[in-house]
């Protein structure tokens, strides 16, 4: 009742229990009683939020149509092309078992580790085209969907393999 913040595109719950909503009119925090718009320093008010992820270190990652924001300890860091992230129109954000943040976007797949962004592409066996689907499976395998097919990366490896649309089961 009374939710007037646009269409909801993403939902995440942080380690403190707050529910975060990424909407077409910005970021909204829900404390269990009321919805409060959250202004991100350095980001225009009412910007389109496309994806959210609450990471294990307590950060909230906010995907935008123009970049990505990390909110940690109530401080926001905006990553755009100036900071090495050229992944406009973020589609999905996930975290693997090694605490690496992965972002799928219109500009392909990105990885954030050791406090820097790296674009993942042909060198690692992955299509350089946009990626929209991204999943970390319970076994730690990372699955990426692109216009060129479905790719997978085994936990702890840096190379992706094209799956050609067939899911293979791994038995012990």
């Amino acid at each position: 009742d009374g939710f007037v913040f646009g269409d909801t595109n993403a939902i995440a719950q942080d380690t403190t229990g707050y529910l975060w909503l990424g909407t077409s009119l910005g970021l909204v925090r829900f404390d269990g009683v009321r919805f409060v718009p959250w202004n991100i320093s350095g980001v225009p008010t009412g910007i389109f939020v496309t994806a959210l992820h609450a990471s294990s270190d307590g950060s909230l990652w906010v995907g935008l149509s123009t970049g990505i924001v990390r909110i940690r300890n109530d401080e926001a860091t905006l990553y755009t092309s100036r900071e090495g992230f050229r992944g406009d129109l973020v589609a999905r954000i996930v975290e693997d078992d090694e605490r690496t943040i992965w972002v799928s976007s219109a500009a392909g797949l990105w990885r954030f580790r050791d406090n820097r962004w790296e674009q993942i592409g042909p060198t690692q066996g992955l299509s350089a085209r946009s990626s929209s689907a991204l999943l970390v499976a319970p076994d730690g395998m990372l699955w990426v969907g692109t216009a060129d097919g479905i790719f997978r990366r085994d936990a702890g490896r840096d190379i992706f393999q094209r799956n050609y649309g067939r899911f293979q089961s791994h038995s012990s």
Side-chain angles (χ1 to χ4, degrees):
D1 292 331
F3 187 83
V4 294
F5 302 104
D7 296 331
T8 301
N9 305 309
I11 300 174
Q13 186 172 20
D14 68 18
T15 55
T16 62
Y18 286 113
L19 194 63
W20 295 87
L21 306 172
T23 77
S24 57
L25 299 176
L27 183 62
V28 178
R29 186 176 75 180
F30 181 63
D31 62 8
V33 177
R34 60 185 176 230
F35 295 96
V36 177
W38 190 266
N39 294 322
I40 303 169
S41 176
V43 176
T45 307
I47 194 158
F48 193 92
V49 175
T50 58
L52 292 173
H53 177 74
S55 64
S56 60
D57 72 354
S59 297
L60 179 69
W61 292 89
V62 183
L64 308 172
S65 58
T66 57
I68 192 164
V69 174
R70 179 186 198 183
I71 300 172
R72 184 167 53 174
N73 300 325
D74 289 331
E75 290 185 25
T77 303
L78 173 64
Y79 298 98
T80 62
S81 58
R82 280 183 297 197
E83 292 79 27
F85 182 79
R86 297 177 309 279
D88 289 347
L89 193 55
V90 170
R92 184 108 162 88
I93 307 165
V94 298
E95 179 180 14
D96 68 17
D97 295 342
E98 298 166 355
R99 295 186 172 197
T100 299
I101 298 296
W102 296 87
V103 176
S104 62
S105 76
L109 184 68
W110 295 84
R111 171 172 60 191
F112 184 79
R113 83 175 161 192
D114 300 326
N115 287 317
R116 67 180 185 88
W117 288 103
E118 175 186 10
Q119 187 169 18
I120 306 300
T123 304
Q124 295 89 2
L126 185 67
S127 165
R129 298 193 51 183
S130 69
S131 62
S132 57
L134 190 57
L135 170 78
V136 176
D139 63 0
M141 192 174 294
L142 180 68
W143 292 91
V144 181
T146 74
D148 293 328
I150 299 173
F151 296 80
R152 75 173 194 269
R153 172 194 162 269
D154 293 329
R157 308 247 356 232
D158 274 344
I159 301 300
F160 284 81
Q161 296 177 337
R162 186 183 216 141
N163 197 57
Y164 294 101
R166 287 187 177 167
F167 290 95
Q168 300 171 353
S169 64
H170 297 279
S171 54
S172 335

